[in-house]
Amino acid sequence: MKKALVVLSGGQDSTTCLFWAKYHFDEVHAITFDYGQRHSIEIDAAVEVAHMAEVASHEIIKVPNCLISMSPLISNNELEKYENAEQMGSVIGNRRELTFVPMRNALFLTIAANRAEALGIPNIITGVCQMDNANYDDCRATFIDATTEYINYALGHDHRGTAPIRILTPLMTLSKAKSVKLAYEMADCWKALAYTHTSYDGRYPPTD
């Protein structure tokens, strides 16, 4: 039986990955992280989406007071806004978007590897995408490759002859338009997107 563990934030990308996993694996589990984010609506969305996907299990993992950042996601700093993608690109340039939370994905994937190993699940799926022009360093393929390597070193899969853990990133090279098209091609996923939350200001329905 092919098993997968999906890191589910409750947003559009992770939800697309969750249903993608349902089409490619026999048994799908999900984990969601409560890391002190300002908008608990994300967690509520993850619970609803996981229910709709009929996952084998869904765990909400609390890691409060662990990650600190000036990011408005976990601080009271003002959210930086842009009129359009072109303005966003000109303002950000080569720097990171201010919503970046240092080491967040590294922490989440480390904990996901703990759960995957304990549950006998060799596949972790996450919705990162390096096509995003917000310059999130922990959404690059090179980061995923490095993380996969250190996880398997940490678990001894490199020398024990045991099956390694894989980190799968179905959206890594897709534009946002193509990721939406992928979701649309999965009818159950398209329905679930109505219950997701992808908006840094915490509003629902999400603002532009």
Side-chain angles (χ1 to χ4, degrees):
M1 177 180 288
K2 296 191 298 182
K3 301 180 182 181
L5 176 66
V6 179
V7 179
L8 179 66
S9 70
Q12 173 185 318
D13 291 341
S14 66
T15 295
T16 301
C17 288
L18 180 68
F19 283 89
W20 179 88
K22 292 284 290 185
Y23 279 77
H24 290 83
F25 293 88
D26 303 311
E27 183 176 297
V28 176
H29 300 256
I31 54 172
T32 297
F33 293 96
D34 179 351
Y35 59 97
Q37 59 267 55
R38 289 169 63 180
H39 310 305
S40 62
I41 188 173
E42 295 177 340
I43 300 173
D44 296 337
V47 170
E48 180 63 29
V49 167
H51 175 72
M52 294 178 72
E54 298 181 339
V55 296
S57 72
H58 179 211
E59 181 183 9
I60 299 175
I61 301 174
K62 292 188 176 182
V63 284
N65 304 318
C66 182
L67 294 170
I68 63 172
S69 172
M70 299 302 290
S71 169
L73 292 182
I74 56 175
S75 74
N76 292 321
N77 288 333
E78 185 176 348
L79 180 67
E80 192 172 59
K81 298 182 179 180
Y82 320 99
E83 294 296 327
N84 50 52
E86 290 72 23
Q87 184 191 46
M88 177 181 176
S90 64
V91 171
I92 294 177
N94 290 324
R95 72 164 169 82
R96 300 187 193 112
E97 225 279 11
L98 298 183
T99 51
F100 178 77
V101 180
M103 303 306 292
R104 179 177 59 174
N105 283 345
L107 175 64
F108 290 176
L109 288 172
T110 297
I111 297 174
N114 165 267
R115 294 305 195 270
E117 185 75 0
L119 295 171
I121 301 173
N123 303 290
I124 297 172
I125 300 173
T126 181
V128 298
C129 173
Q130 66 183 13
M131 302 303 289
D132 193 329
N133 64 347
N135 300 327
Y136 293 125
D137 296 308
D138 59 1
C139 290
R140 297 174 297 157
T142 185
F143 164 74
I144 295 298
D145 291 343
T147 302
T148 301
E149 184 175 35
Y150 101 73
I151 283 173
N152 284 296
Y153 279 141
L155 296 173
H157 293 311
D158 62 306
H159 71 96
R160 296 187 181 279
T162 46
I165 283 181
R166 299 189 304 162
I167 302 177
L168 306 179
T169 54
L171 310 184
M172 178 59 77
T173 60
L174 299 186
S175 66
K176 186 59 68 176
K178 289 183 178 179
S179 68
V180 171
K181 184 175 183 293
L182 175 62
Y184 182 74
E185 291 170 348
M186 300 179 288
D188 45 357
C189 179
W190 191 245
K191 179 180 178 181
L193 285 190
Y195 298 89
T196 64
H197 183 77
T198 304
S199 181
Y200 288 134
D201 61 9
R203 297 179 182 177
Y204 190 89
T207 54
D208 292 336

